[in-house]
Short mmCIF file of all heavy atoms in Angstrom, two decimals:
data_model
loop_
_atom_site.label_atom_id
_atom_site.label_comp_id
_atom_site.label_asym_id
_atom_site.label_seq_id
_atom_site.Cartn_x
_atom_site.Cartn_y
_atom_site.Cartn_z
N CYS C 19 2.44 16.48 22.95
CA CYS C 19 2.99 15.43 22.10
C CYS C 19 3.98 14.54 22.87
O CYS C 19 4.71 15.01 23.75
CB CYS C 19 3.67 16.04 20.88
SG CYS C 19 2.55 17.09 19.91
N ARG C 20 3.98 13.29 22.48
CA ARG C 20 4.88 12.30 23.07
C ARG C 20 5.65 11.58 21.97
O ARG C 20 5.17 11.45 20.85
CB ARG C 20 4.08 11.27 23.90
CG ARG C 20 3.24 11.88 25.01
CD ARG C 20 4.08 12.20 26.22
NE ARG C 20 4.37 10.97 27.01
CZ ARG C 20 5.28 10.91 27.98
NH1 ARG C 20 6.03 11.97 28.25
NH2 ARG C 20 5.45 9.79 28.66
N SER C 21 6.84 11.12 22.32
CA SER C 21 7.66 10.41 21.34
C SER C 21 7.14 8.98 21.14
O SER C 21 6.20 8.54 21.79
CB SER C 21 9.09 10.33 21.86
OG SER C 21 9.17 9.44 22.98
N GLY C 22 7.78 8.30 20.21
CA GLY C 22 7.56 6.87 20.10
C GLY C 22 8.28 6.16 21.25
O GLY C 22 8.88 6.79 22.12
N ILE C 23 8.21 4.83 21.25
CA ILE C 23 8.87 4.07 22.30
C ILE C 23 10.36 4.02 22.01
O ILE C 23 10.79 3.49 20.98
CB ILE C 23 8.29 2.65 22.39
CG1 ILE C 23 6.78 2.73 22.75
CG2 ILE C 23 9.01 1.84 23.42
CD1 ILE C 23 6.08 1.41 22.75
N LEU C 24 11.15 4.57 22.89
CA LEU C 24 12.59 4.69 22.72
C LEU C 24 13.32 3.53 23.41
O LEU C 24 12.67 2.61 23.93
CB LEU C 24 13.08 6.03 23.27
CG LEU C 24 12.33 7.26 22.69
CD1 LEU C 24 12.81 8.54 23.38
CD2 LEU C 24 12.53 7.36 21.17
N ASP C 25 14.64 3.58 23.44
CA ASP C 25 15.42 2.52 24.09
C ASP C 25 14.99 2.36 25.55
O ASP C 25 14.78 3.35 26.27
CB ASP C 25 16.90 2.86 24.03
CG ASP C 25 17.48 2.78 22.62
OD1 ASP C 25 16.85 2.11 21.80
OD2 ASP C 25 18.52 3.40 22.35
N GLY C 26 14.83 1.13 25.97
CA GLY C 26 14.43 0.83 27.33
C GLY C 26 12.96 1.07 27.59
O GLY C 26 12.53 1.10 28.74
N GLY C 27 12.18 1.23 26.51
CA GLY C 27 10.75 1.44 26.67
C GLY C 27 10.37 2.85 27.10
O GLY C 27 9.21 3.10 27.45
N LYS C 28 11.33 3.76 27.04
CA LYS C 28 11.12 5.14 27.48
C LYS C 28 10.29 5.92 26.48
O LYS C 28 10.43 5.74 25.26
CB LYS C 28 12.47 5.80 27.72
CG LYS C 28 12.37 7.22 28.25
CD LYS C 28 13.76 7.74 28.65
CE LYS C 28 14.70 7.79 27.44
NZ LYS C 28 15.98 8.41 27.79
N VAL C 29 9.42 6.80 26.95
CA VAL C 29 8.63 7.72 26.13
C VAL C 29 8.82 9.12 26.68
O VAL C 29 8.75 9.31 27.91
CB VAL C 29 7.14 7.33 26.10
CG1 VAL C 29 6.36 8.35 25.28
CG2 VAL C 29 6.96 5.95 25.53
N GLU C 30 9.08 10.09 25.82
CA GLU C 30 9.37 11.45 26.26
C GLU C 30 8.39 12.46 25.70
O GLU C 30 7.78 12.23 24.65
CB GLU C 30 10.79 11.85 25.83
CG GLU C 30 11.90 10.95 26.35
CD GLU C 30 13.25 11.33 25.79
OE1 GLU C 30 13.28 12.03 24.74
OE2 GLU C 30 14.28 10.95 26.38
N ASP C 31 8.27 13.58 26.40
CA ASP C 31 7.55 14.72 25.82
C ASP C 31 8.39 15.28 24.67
O ASP C 31 9.62 15.38 24.76
CB ASP C 31 7.36 15.82 26.88
CG ASP C 31 6.38 15.42 27.96
OD1 ASP C 31 5.50 14.58 27.69
OD2 ASP C 31 6.50 15.94 29.09
N VAL C 32 7.71 15.64 23.59
CA VAL C 32 8.40 16.17 22.42
C VAL C 32 7.61 17.37 21.88
O VAL C 32 6.44 17.54 22.18
CB VAL C 32 8.52 15.10 21.31
CG1 VAL C 32 9.44 13.97 21.74
CG2 VAL C 32 7.17 14.55 20.90
N PRO C 33 8.27 18.22 21.08
CA PRO C 33 7.56 19.37 20.48
C PRO C 33 6.52 18.87 19.49
O PRO C 33 6.56 17.75 18.99
CB PRO C 33 8.68 20.14 19.78
CG PRO C 33 9.98 19.64 20.36
CD PRO C 33 9.70 18.21 20.75
N PRO C 34 5.55 19.73 19.16
CA PRO C 34 4.59 19.39 18.10
C PRO C 34 5.28 19.08 16.78
O PRO C 34 6.40 19.57 16.52
CB PRO C 34 3.72 20.65 17.99
CG PRO C 34 3.86 21.32 19.34
CD PRO C 34 5.25 21.03 19.80
N ASP C 35 4.65 18.27 15.95
CA ASP C 35 5.20 17.92 14.66
C ASP C 35 5.29 19.16 13.76
O ASP C 35 4.43 20.05 13.80
CB ASP C 35 4.35 16.87 13.97
CG ASP C 35 4.40 15.53 14.67
OD1 ASP C 35 5.49 15.16 15.14
OD2 ASP C 35 3.36 14.85 14.72
N GLU C 36 6.30 19.17 12.92
CA GLU C 36 6.43 20.24 11.95
C GLU C 36 5.29 20.13 10.92
O GLU C 36 4.95 19.03 10.48
CB GLU C 36 7.78 20.12 11.23
CG GLU C 36 8.07 21.24 10.25
CD GLU C 36 9.45 21.12 9.65
OE1 GLU C 36 9.84 20.00 9.27
OE2 GLU C 36 10.14 22.15 9.57
N ASP C 37 4.73 21.25 10.57
CA ASP C 37 3.68 21.30 9.55
C ASP C 37 4.34 21.30 8.18
O ASP C 37 4.61 22.35 7.61
CB ASP C 37 2.81 22.54 9.75
CG ASP C 37 1.60 22.56 8.82
OD1 ASP C 37 1.60 21.84 7.80
OD2 ASP C 37 0.65 23.32 9.13
N CYS C 38 4.61 20.11 7.67
CA CYS C 38 5.34 19.99 6.40
C CYS C 38 4.58 20.62 5.25
O CYS C 38 5.20 21.16 4.32
CB CYS C 38 5.63 18.51 6.12
SG CYS C 38 6.74 17.75 7.32
N HIS C 39 3.27 20.50 5.26
CA HIS C 39 2.46 21.12 4.22
C HIS C 39 2.71 22.65 4.20
O HIS C 39 2.96 23.25 3.15
CB HIS C 39 0.99 20.81 4.45
CG HIS C 39 0.05 21.46 3.51
ND1 HIS C 39 -1.19 21.91 3.87
CD2 HIS C 39 0.18 21.78 2.19
CE1 HIS C 39 -1.81 22.44 2.83
NE2 HIS C 39 -0.99 22.37 1.80
N LYS C 40 2.64 23.27 5.35
CA LYS C 40 2.86 24.71 5.47
C LYS C 40 4.28 25.10 5.05
O LYS C 40 4.49 26.07 4.32
CB LYS C 40 2.56 25.16 6.90
CG LYS C 40 2.69 26.66 7.14
CD LYS C 40 2.22 26.97 8.56
CE LYS C 40 2.26 28.47 8.85
NZ LYS C 40 3.65 28.94 9.01
N VAL C 41 5.26 24.32 5.54
CA VAL C 41 6.65 24.61 5.23
C VAL C 41 6.88 24.56 3.72
O VAL C 41 7.54 25.44 3.13
CB VAL C 41 7.58 23.62 5.96
CG1 VAL C 41 9.01 23.76 5.44
CG2 VAL C 41 7.55 23.88 7.45
N PHE C 42 6.34 23.52 3.06
CA PHE C 42 6.52 23.37 1.61
C PHE C 42 5.86 24.52 0.88
O PHE C 42 6.44 25.11 -0.04
CB PHE C 42 5.94 22.05 1.15
CG PHE C 42 6.04 21.83 -0.34
CD1 PHE C 42 7.26 21.54 -0.93
CD2 PHE C 42 4.91 21.94 -1.15
CE1 PHE C 42 7.35 21.34 -2.30
CE2 PHE C 42 5.02 21.75 -2.53
CZ PHE C 42 6.24 21.46 -3.11
N CYS C 43 4.64 24.86 1.26
CA CYS C 43 3.90 25.91 0.55
C CYS C 43 4.47 27.29 0.76
O CYS C 43 4.22 28.21 -0.04
CB CYS C 43 2.43 25.88 0.96
SG CYS C 43 1.51 24.47 0.27
N GLU C 44 5.27 27.48 1.81
CA GLU C 44 5.93 28.76 2.04
C GLU C 44 7.34 28.81 1.46
O GLU C 44 7.97 29.87 1.47
CB GLU C 44 5.96 29.07 3.54
CG GLU C 44 4.59 29.35 4.13
CD GLU C 44 4.64 29.60 5.63
OE1 GLU C 44 5.70 29.33 6.24
OE2 GLU C 44 3.60 30.03 6.20
N SER C 45 7.81 27.68 0.95
CA SER C 45 9.16 27.62 0.42
C SER C 45 9.19 28.14 -1.02
O SER C 45 8.19 28.18 -1.72
CB SER C 45 9.70 26.19 0.45
OG SER C 45 9.01 25.38 -0.49
N GLU C 46 10.40 28.49 -1.44
CA GLU C 46 10.57 28.98 -2.82
C GLU C 46 10.20 27.89 -3.82
O GLU C 46 9.62 28.18 -4.87
CB GLU C 46 12.00 29.43 -3.01
CG GLU C 46 12.30 29.99 -4.39
CD GLU C 46 13.74 30.47 -4.57
OE1 GLU C 46 14.49 30.46 -3.55
OE2 GLU C 46 14.12 30.81 -5.69
N LEU C 47 10.50 26.65 -3.49
CA LEU C 47 10.17 25.53 -4.38
C LEU C 47 8.69 25.24 -4.41
O LEU C 47 8.09 25.04 -5.48
CB LEU C 47 10.94 24.28 -3.91
CG LEU C 47 10.59 22.95 -4.63
CD1 LEU C 47 11.01 23.05 -6.11
CD2 LEU C 47 11.27 21.80 -3.95
N GLY C 48 8.05 25.24 -3.25
CA GLY C 48 6.66 24.80 -3.17
C GLY C 48 5.60 25.83 -3.43
O GLY C 48 4.50 25.51 -3.89
N LYS C 49 5.91 27.11 -3.15
CA LYS C 49 4.87 28.14 -3.21
C LYS C 49 4.17 28.21 -4.58
O LYS C 49 2.93 28.32 -4.64
CB LYS C 49 5.47 29.50 -2.85
CG LYS C 49 4.42 30.61 -2.66
CD LYS C 49 5.03 31.90 -2.18
CE LYS C 49 3.95 32.90 -1.79
NZ LYS C 49 2.98 33.17 -2.86
N PRO C 50 4.89 28.17 -5.71
CA PRO C 50 4.19 28.23 -7.01
C PRO C 50 3.20 27.09 -7.20
O PRO C 50 2.12 27.29 -7.77
CB PRO C 50 5.33 28.17 -8.03
CG PRO C 50 6.53 28.62 -7.29
CD PRO C 50 6.35 28.14 -5.89
N HIS C 51 3.53 25.90 -6.70
CA HIS C 51 2.65 24.75 -6.88
C HIS C 51 1.42 24.86 -5.98
O HIS C 51 0.30 24.55 -6.39
CB HIS C 51 3.41 23.45 -6.58
CG HIS C 51 4.57 23.23 -7.51
ND1 HIS C 51 4.42 22.95 -8.85
CD2 HIS C 51 5.92 23.28 -7.28
CE1 HIS C 51 5.61 22.82 -9.40
NE2 HIS C 51 6.53 23.02 -8.49
N CYS C 52 1.63 25.33 -4.76
CA CYS C 52 0.50 25.51 -3.83
C CYS C 52 -0.42 26.63 -4.32
O CYS C 52 -1.65 26.49 -4.29
CB CYS C 52 1.00 25.79 -2.44
SG CYS C 52 1.95 24.43 -1.69
N ASP C 53 0.17 27.70 -4.78
CA ASP C 53 -0.62 28.82 -5.30
C ASP C 53 -1.45 28.43 -6.51
O ASP C 53 -2.56 28.97 -6.73
CB ASP C 53 0.27 30.02 -5.64
CG ASP C 53 0.86 30.69 -4.41
OD1 ASP C 53 0.39 30.38 -3.28
OD2 ASP C 53 1.78 31.50 -4.57
N ALA C 54 -0.93 27.47 -7.29
CA ALA C 54 -1.62 27.02 -8.50
C ALA C 54 -2.65 25.93 -8.19
O ALA C 54 -3.31 25.44 -9.11
CB ALA C 54 -0.62 26.52 -9.52
N GLY C 55 -2.77 25.54 -6.92
CA GLY C 55 -3.75 24.53 -6.53
C GLY C 55 -3.34 23.11 -6.80
O GLY C 55 -4.18 22.21 -6.86
N ARG C 56 -2.03 22.90 -6.94
CA ARG C 56 -1.54 21.55 -7.23
C ARG C 56 -1.24 20.73 -5.98
O ARG C 56 -0.79 19.57 -6.08
CB ARG C 56 -0.32 21.60 -8.14
CG ARG C 56 -0.63 22.08 -9.57
CD ARG C 56 0.52 21.88 -10.50
NE ARG C 56 1.60 22.83 -10.30
CZ ARG C 56 1.70 24.01 -10.93
NH1 ARG C 56 0.76 24.37 -11.78
NH2 ARG C 56 2.72 24.79 -10.68
N VAL C 57 -1.46 21.30 -4.81
CA VAL C 57 -1.26 20.58 -3.56
C VAL C 57 -2.56 20.64 -2.75
O VAL C 57 -3.02 21.72 -2.40
CB VAL C 57 -0.10 21.19 -2.74
CG1 VAL C 57 0.06 20.44 -1.41
CG2 VAL C 57 1.20 21.14 -3.53
N ARG C 58 -3.14 19.48 -2.51
CA ARG C 58 -4.38 19.37 -1.72
C ARG C 58 -4.06 18.65 -0.43
O ARG C 58 -3.27 17.71 -0.44
CB ARG C 58 -5.44 18.61 -2.49
CG ARG C 58 -5.74 19.19 -3.86
CD ARG C 58 -6.56 18.25 -4.73
NE ARG C 58 -6.66 18.77 -6.09
CZ ARG C 58 -6.75 18.01 -7.18
NH1 ARG C 58 -6.79 16.69 -7.07
NH2 ARG C 58 -6.83 18.57 -8.37
N ALA C 59 -4.68 19.05 0.65
CA ALA C 59 -4.29 18.45 1.94
C ALA C 59 -5.47 18.30 2.86
O ALA C 59 -6.39 19.12 2.86
CB ALA C 59 -3.22 19.31 2.61
N LEU C 60 -5.44 17.20 3.59
CA LEU C 60 -6.35 16.97 4.71
C LEU C 60 -5.51 16.86 5.96
O LEU C 60 -4.59 16.03 6.04
CB LEU C 60 -7.14 15.67 4.49
CG LEU C 60 -8.02 15.21 5.66
CD1 LEU C 60 -9.16 16.20 5.91
CD2 LEU C 60 -8.58 13.82 5.40
N HIS C 61 -5.78 17.74 6.95
CA HIS C 61 -5.02 17.74 8.19
C HIS C 61 -5.82 17.00 9.29
O HIS C 61 -6.98 17.32 9.53
CB HIS C 61 -4.73 19.17 8.63
CG HIS C 61 -3.76 19.89 7.73
ND1 HIS C 61 -2.55 20.36 8.18
CD2 HIS C 61 -3.82 20.20 6.42
CE1 HIS C 61 -1.90 20.93 7.19
NE2 HIS C 61 -2.67 20.86 6.10
N ILE C 62 -5.16 16.02 9.91
CA ILE C 62 -5.79 15.23 10.96
C ILE C 62 -4.92 15.31 12.20
O ILE C 62 -3.70 15.06 12.14
CB ILE C 62 -5.96 13.76 10.51
CG1 ILE C 62 -6.85 13.68 9.27
CG2 ILE C 62 -6.52 12.91 11.66
CD1 ILE C 62 -6.97 12.26 8.71
N ASN C 63 -5.51 15.66 13.32
CA ASN C 63 -4.79 15.71 14.58
C ASN C 63 -4.53 14.28 15.04
O ASN C 63 -5.38 13.39 14.89
CB ASN C 63 -5.57 16.48 15.62
CG ASN C 63 -4.71 16.89 16.81
OD1 ASN C 63 -3.49 16.76 16.78
ND2 ASN C 63 -5.35 17.39 17.84
N GLU C 64 -3.35 14.03 15.59
CA GLU C 64 -2.91 12.67 15.91
C GLU C 64 -3.96 11.84 16.66
O GLU C 64 -4.22 10.71 16.30
CB GLU C 64 -1.61 12.73 16.71
CG GLU C 64 -1.06 11.37 17.09
CD GLU C 64 0.12 11.48 18.01
OE1 GLU C 64 -0.10 11.77 19.23
OE2 GLU C 64 1.25 11.28 17.56
N PRO C 65 -4.61 12.36 17.71
CA PRO C 65 -5.59 11.52 18.43
C PRO C 65 -6.80 11.11 17.57
O PRO C 65 -7.50 10.17 17.93
CB PRO C 65 -6.05 12.43 19.58
CG PRO C 65 -4.96 13.45 19.73
CD PRO C 65 -4.44 13.68 18.36
N GLU C 66 -7.01 11.79 16.44
CA GLU C 66 -8.14 11.48 15.58
C GLU C 66 -7.77 10.54 14.42
O GLU C 66 -8.62 10.18 13.63
CB GLU C 66 -8.73 12.78 15.01
CG GLU C 66 -9.26 13.72 16.07
CD GLU C 66 -9.68 15.06 15.51
OE1 GLU C 66 -9.09 15.48 14.49
OE2 GLU C 66 -10.58 15.70 16.09
N SER C 67 -6.50 10.13 14.37
CA SER C 67 -6.06 9.26 13.29
C SER C 67 -6.75 7.89 13.38
O SER C 67 -6.90 7.33 14.47
CB SER C 67 -4.55 9.07 13.37
OG SER C 67 -4.13 8.06 12.46
N LEU C 68 -7.15 7.38 12.24
CA LEU C 68 -7.80 6.07 12.18
C LEU C 68 -6.89 5.02 11.53
O LEU C 68 -7.37 3.97 11.10
CB LEU C 68 -9.11 6.16 11.39
CG LEU C 68 -10.19 7.06 12.02
CD1 LEU C 68 -11.37 7.19 11.08
CD2 LEU C 68 -10.61 6.52 13.37
N GLY C 69 -5.59 5.30 11.47
CA GLY C 69 -4.65 4.33 10.94
C GLY C 69 -4.34 4.52 9.49
O GLY C 69 -4.94 5.34 8.78
N PRO C 70 -3.37 3.75 8.96
CA PRO C 70 -2.88 3.98 7.59
C PRO C 70 -3.88 3.67 6.49
O PRO C 70 -3.94 4.41 5.51
CB PRO C 70 -1.66 3.06 7.51
CG PRO C 70 -1.85 2.04 8.56
CD PRO C 70 -2.58 2.73 9.67
N TYR C 71 -4.67 2.60 6.63
CA TYR C 71 -5.59 2.30 5.54
C TYR C 71 -6.68 3.38 5.44
O TYR C 71 -7.05 3.78 4.33
CB TYR C 71 -6.24 0.92 5.72
CG TYR C 71 -7.13 0.56 4.54
CD1 TYR C 71 -6.58 -0.05 3.43
CD2 TYR C 71 -8.47 0.90 4.52
CE1 TYR C 71 -7.38 -0.35 2.31
CE2 TYR C 71 -9.25 0.64 3.42
CZ TYR C 71 -8.71 0.00 2.33
OH TYR C 71 -9.50 -0.28 1.24
#
Side-chain angles (χ1 to χ4, degrees):
C19 303
R20 302 280 282 167
S21 70
I23 299 175
L24 306 175
D25 291 339
K28 183 172 61 174
V29 177
E30 301 175 341
D31 291 334
V32 294
D35 292 322
E36 184 176 45
D37 186 341
C38 295
H39 176 215
K40 182 174 183 286
V41 170
F42 178 73
C43 287
E44 291 178 348
S45 70
E46 182 179 353
L47 173 65
K49 191 175 188 305
H51 299 291
C52 296
D53 289 348
R56 290 191 286 270
V57 179
R58 304 167 188 149
L60 173 66
H61 291 241
I62 299 175
N63 197 10
E64 181 187 75
E66 298 173 332
S67 171
L68 296 175
Y71 184 88

